[in-house]
Amino acid sequence: MPRRARLDATGALHHIMVRGIDKANIFRDAEDKTRFLERLGQNVQGSKCSIYAWVLMDNHVHLLFRSGKDGISAVMRKLLTWYAQYFNRKHSRKGHLFENRYKSILCDEDNYLLALVRYIHLNPIRAKVIEAMEALDRYPWTGHRVIIGKAKYEWMDTEIVLAQFGGTKRKAISEYRRFMQDGMDHGHDPQYSGGGLVRSLGGWSNVCAMRRKGQKEEVDERILGSGDFVHQVIKEAEEKSLRQMKLRRSGLTLIKIIEQECKNREITRKELESGSRRTEVSLARAEIARRGMKEIGLPAAEIARHLGVATSSITRAVEKMGNRTITQRK
């Protein structure tokens, strides 16, 4: 069965999970974790994203991540590609480091923001790496210490979380810490990381209750939220997909986009694929990539193959464009 497309949009909240292949460790020492966080911070700040919670375990990572202008894919691709290369080089190994592609769940922020912050930050306690809240306050590999003011990462947004507890910052931290303490006895809850039906209905008891009543609810394993939230997300995704399908059915292909941009900028296909950094060629590449992704829904890797460049070159070209509109020659 083909993989289903990721659901994403600027401003969307995601629970992201990254695991080592065959459950192998992806961090072997403190330097590995430090370098991962450094790179994460660079990518987050460069893409105008927000991180509200995170934890680094030896063989997996959890992030609570709000999409910026580039979405989650570009940020995560750059982060994981760089880190895999760093890890393999440092530890003299070859091959894949991560299990398949990372998992991302689009979340209903109003109902799940705080629950996910707690779920993610209590990972070391559930895994029995540490045992008490006092130890979590000192533990360096979660965002919990940042929220309570014991560590500082400029790229982590703590204000959104603390604002949920109101009052002064001191009182908000105290209330947040009490909220964390109240969750200490909660076991692993699959709705936050698996089980689309359970997630969409807010727990197994709700699933059973609706089944007894003979009610059905729209569900999707890529989404954490109520049936109404799932329905709205799917509707928006389908509308975007429909727009792209209409353009494809009208005969628009990547080849035609390439031909149009080469003609508009008076460059040849050969020059486009030569790797030239001449301004007009670079702008053409960026516009082709933007249109290929937005208008017909192609992944960066496929566009890169057609242009004879690396996928990273395509993502960089689109990033440099930012929100700037490229003026085409008439």
Side-chain angles (χ1 to χ4, degrees), residues 254 258 269 273 299-311 314:
L254 184 60
I258 291 172
R269 179 78 178 267
E273 298 172 358
E302 184 172 344
I303 297 169
R305 286 195 295 273
H306 278 80
L307 297 182
V309 296
T311 302
I314 293 299

Side-chain angles (χ1 to χ4, degrees), residues 85-252:
Q85 292 172 346
Y86 152 81
F87 186 90
N88 284 353
R89 185 169 56 249
K90 175 184 173 182
H91 297 292
S92 301
R93 72 179 295 276
K94 296 181 179 179
H96 296 293
L97 178 62
F98 301 110
E99 179 183 78
N100 299 319
R101 62 177 188 169
Y102 63 90
K103 186 174 184 179
S104 62
I105 300 171
L106 193 150
C107 308
D108 180 354
E109 180 177 348
D110 291 342
N111 294 314
Y112 289 99
L113 174 66
L114 292 182
L116 284 164
V117 169
R118 181 161 66 183
Y119 173 81
I120 290 170
H121 286 163
L122 287 179
N123 253 261
I125 293 178
R126 286 197 304 275
K128 302 189 185 307
V129 175
I130 54 178
E131 295 184 355
M133 181 58 61
E134 290 72 20
L136 186 63
D137 290 347
R138 299 188 299 271
Y139 192 68
W141 309 121
T142 82
H144 171 76
R145 288 178 71 239
V146 187
I147 292 177
I148 64 173
K150 300 293 185 182
K152 189 171 184 178
Y153 288 99
E154 296 291 345
W155 46 265
M156 184 176 174
D157 187 339
T158 61
E159 292 182 5
I160 290 292
V161 175
L162 290 176
Q164 310 301 310
F165 297 93
T168 64
K169 185 173 183 178
R170 183 175 180 179
K171 182 180 179 182
I173 289 174
S174 176
E175 291 297 321
Y176 159 78
R177 201 171 173 282
R178 183 177 295 113
F179 170 75
M180 292 292 291
Q181 184 74 51
D182 290 343
M184 289 277 288
D185 296 331
H186 295 184
H188 172 71
D189 191 335
Q191 72 168 310
Y192 300 130
S193 58
L197 178 62
V198 177
R199 276 209 309 270
S200 297
L201 293 179
W204 183 244
S205 61
N206 289 344
V207 174
C208 294
M210 291 196 71
R211 284 179 174 173
R212 286 194 297 270
K213 296 176 183 177
Q215 296 175 337
K216 293 184 178 180
E217 187 89 331
E218 189 162 357
V219 298
D220 193 292
E221 71 276 6
R222 298 167 295 174
I223 305 171
L224 171 59
S226 67
D228 288 343
F229 180 74
V230 173
H231 177 76
Q232 185 61 33
V233 170
I234 296 298
K235 180 182 177 183
E236 292 175 3
E238 287 175 346
E239 288 173 352
K240 177 181 177 182
S241 180
L242 184 60
R243 287 195 298 271
Q244 294 173 344
M245 186 183 299
K246 286 180 178 178
L247 285 170
R248 289 196 297 269
R249 285 180 175 175
S250 72
L252 186 64

Side-chain angles (χ1 to χ4, degrees), residues 11-74:
L13 185 70
H14 297 268
H15 178 196
I16 296 177
M17 290 152 278
V18 182
R19 299 186 183 279
I21 191 167
D22 296 327
K23 300 182 179 180
N25 285 354
I26 56 178
F27 304 110
R28 294 186 182 176
D29 54 36
E31 182 189 20
D32 289 345
K33 292 179 178 178
T34 298
R35 296 296 298 277
F36 184 93
L37 290 176
E38 288 174 351
R39 196 69 175 194
L40 171 64
Q42 292 170 10
N43 291 352
V44 164
Q45 290 180 313
S47 299
K48 301 291 191 294
C49 305
S50 299
I51 299 286
Y52 301 125
W54 56 270
V55 62
L56 307 188
M57 306 297 284
D58 287 345
N59 66 356
H60 68 280
V61 173
H62 290 264
L63 302 172
L64 188 56
F65 182 114
R66 186 189 300 283
S67 291
K69 59 184 177 64
D70 299 323
I72 59 173
S73 294

